[in-house]
Amino acid sequence: MSPPMKDLLSPTRLPLLTERLKLTGLRPTQQRLALADLLFSAGDRHVSAEALHGEAQAAGVSVSLATVYNTLNRFRAVGLLKEVSVDSGRSYFDTNLSPHIHIFNEVSGELYDAPLCLRPEVLEALAPAHTQAVSVDVVVRVRPRHASQEA
Amino acid sequence: MSPPMKDLLSPTRLPLLTERLKLTGLRPTQQRLALADLLFSAGDRHVSAEALHGEAQAAGVSVSLATVYNTLNRFRAVGLLKEVSVDSGRSYFDTNLSPHIHIFNEVSGELYDAPLCLRPEVLEALAPAHTQAVSVDVVVRVRPRHASQEA
DNA sequence: ATGCCTGCAAAATATTTGCATGTAA
DNA sequence: TTACATGCAAATATTTTGCAGGCAT
C-alpha cells in the first residue's frame, strides 16, 4: 500500500532523469528512475550495491537487491557510472566520471576524490603496443597518522 | 606416496627462502616454502589464490586452497607481497613491492608493470589532514585497439 | 613439549542467473 | 502486443573460520 514510485521523485527531476536514461538507450522504468535519483541528484557519490539498496528501502522504494546489481551494471555499461576497485570483494560505483584520484581511508572506509592532472598523451603513452588506454584508476590509501601497520 | 615436499625445492633456493621467511617471523613450513618458491623464484609475478593453488598442485605440492589464502594473507601482512585490486571480486597478489603502475588488459586479463615516477612529497600532499599516505595504486585499463566499448 | 600451522569442511560474503510475471513502448 | 525489466530464489564465486591433528622450534 505504498505510494506509486513516481511520486517519490520531484516533478522537477523526473523528466530530466527520464531523458537521461532514454539517451543511453535504457528504458526509464520506475526502479531505474528511483535509483538514478538517489545516485545523480546529490553531487558525486560512491556507493556499494548493498548501500544503495538500503537507501532505496529507506526512501520507500520497492526494489530487490538483484535489480540494484543489474541496474548498477547497466548504468556502468552505458557510461553513467564508473566501477571502483578499492577493496577486493566489494564493488563501489562512482558517479564522478571525470578522471580523478580516490583517497581511501583504510581504517574508516571513507572514500574522497582528488583531481587528477594527467595529460592525455601521457596516458596513451602508457598503453602497450596495439592497445589503447580506456581509463586510469588511482587509489591512494591513507591511514590516520600513527596508526599501526597491518590491516 | 608423493616425494617429500622439500625435495621439490632446489638445494640452492631452499636456504634462501627459509631465511627470508624467518626474517619476517613466519615459520618456514613446507607449504609456505613451496608457495614462496613459486612466488619469488621467477621474477615479478601477479597471481590469484586460485591460480597459485593450481600451480602448487601441478608442481606436486599438497596444499589446500584455504592454506593458500592464509599464506597469501600472512605474506602480505609481513610485507612479502602487495595486494592488487584490479578486478573486484577477485584478489591478486603482487611480488613487485616497489611503487609502480599496473597496466591491465581488460580483454585478455593480462597484467603488466610500468614504473611510477612520483615524488614522495607529492604523495604525502595528497593525504587529507591527520592522515598519512600508505601506498598508491595506479591501474591503467587498456584494450586492444578498435575493440568494442563494453566489458 | 609447546604453540603455531595445516587440511578439510562449513560458514560468511558478494554477485549473477533462471524463470514467471509485470510494464514501457 | 512485444520485448525488455523486475522480483525472488537458487546458483556461483570468492574468501574466511572452526576445529582436530601435525610439524617446527
Side-chain angles (χ1 to χ4, degrees):
Chain A
M1 211 48 86
S2 49
M5 241 171 285
K6 278 179 181 174
D7 295 356
L8 296 170
L9 282 81
S10 81
T12 310
R13 295 192 300 251
L14 178 55
L16 294 172
L17 291 170
T18 301
E19 184 59 20
R20 190 164 183 180
L21 289 186
K22 279 187 177 172
L23 282 174
T24 66
L26 294 179
R27 281 191 187 171
T29 64
Q30 297 189 355
Q31 285 81 358
R32 286 174 178 172
L33 286 168
L35 294 176
D37 190 37
L38 290 170
L39 287 168
F40 303 120
S41 299
D44 293 334
R45 303 207 55 195
H46 310 91
V47 297
S48 64
E50 181 99 20
L52 184 60
H53 183 240
E55 284 183 30
Q57 306 256 282
V61 176
S62 165
V63 62
S64 72
L65 182 56
T67 294
V68 172
Y69 272 105
N70 290 334
T71 300
L72 288 172
N73 284 329
R74 295 297 180 91
F75 282 9
R76 184 202 33 166
V78 300
L80 289 174
L81 292 174
K82 291 203 307 185
E83 190 168 1
V84 183
S85 288
V86 64
D87 170 12
S88 77
R90 198 183 310 258
S91 280
Y92 290 87
F93 292 86
D94 186 353
T95 62
N96 182 349
L97 299 175
S98 62
H100 62 286
I101 295 178
H102 289 114
I103 312 288
F104 180 61
N105 187 322
E106 295 187 315
V107 173
S108 70
E110 290 164 291
L111 196 60
Y112 317 82
D113 283 352
L116 172 65
C117 305
L118 183 62
R119 295 198 309 275
E121 63 267 30
V122 174
L123 179 56
E124 269 311 318
L126 284 169
H130 309 302
T131 67
Q132 58 187 326
V134 173
S135 66
V136 59
D137 302 331
V138 181
V139 179
V140 176
R141 292 166 198 275
V142 304
R143 293 173 183 268
R145 286 195 180 280
H146 313 306
S148 70
Q149 185 65 231
E150 178 40 24
Chain B
M1 209 50 82
S2 49
M5 240 172 284
K6 278 178 180 172
D7 296 357
L8 296 170
L9 281 83
S10 81
T12 310
R13 295 193 302 253
L14 179 55
L16 294 173
L17 292 169
T18 302
E19 183 61 18
R20 190 164 182 179
L21 290 185
K22 279 188 177 172
L23 283 173
T24 67
L26 293 180
R27 281 189 185 171
T29 65
Q30 297 190 354
Q31 284 81 358
R32 285 175 181 171
L33 285 168
L35 295 176
D37 191 36
L38 290 169
L39 288 168
F40 303 122
S41 299
D44 292 335
R45 303 206 56 196
H46 309 91
V47 297
S48 66
E50 182 100 19
L52 184 60
H53 184 239
E55 285 184 29
Q57 307 255 283
V61 176
S62 165
V63 61
S64 71
L65 182 57
T67 294
V68 172
Y69 272 106
N70 290 334
T71 300
L72 287 172
N73 284 330
R74 294 298 180 91
F75 281 8
R76 181 197 33 144
V78 301
L80 289 174
L81 293 173
K82 292 204 305 184
E83 190 168 0
V84 183
S85 288
V86 64
D87 170 13
S88 75
R90 197 184 311 256
S91 279
Y92 290 88
F93 290 86
D94 186 353
T95 62
N96 183 347
L97 300 175
S98 61
H100 63 283
I101 295 178
H102 288 114
I103 312 288
F104 180 61
N105 187 322
E106 295 186 317
V107 173
S108 69
E110 289 165 293
L111 196 60
Y112 315 84
D113 283 352
L116 171 63
C117 306
L118 184 60
R119 295 198 309 277
E121 63 268 29
V122 173
L123 178 56
E124 269 310 318
L126 285 168
H130 309 303
T131 68
Q132 57 187 325
V134 173
S135 66
V136 59
D137 302 331
V138 181
V139 179
V140 177
R141 292 166 198 274
V142 304
R143 293 172 185 267
R145 287 195 178 281
H146 314 306
S148 69
Q149 185 64 230
E150 177 43 23

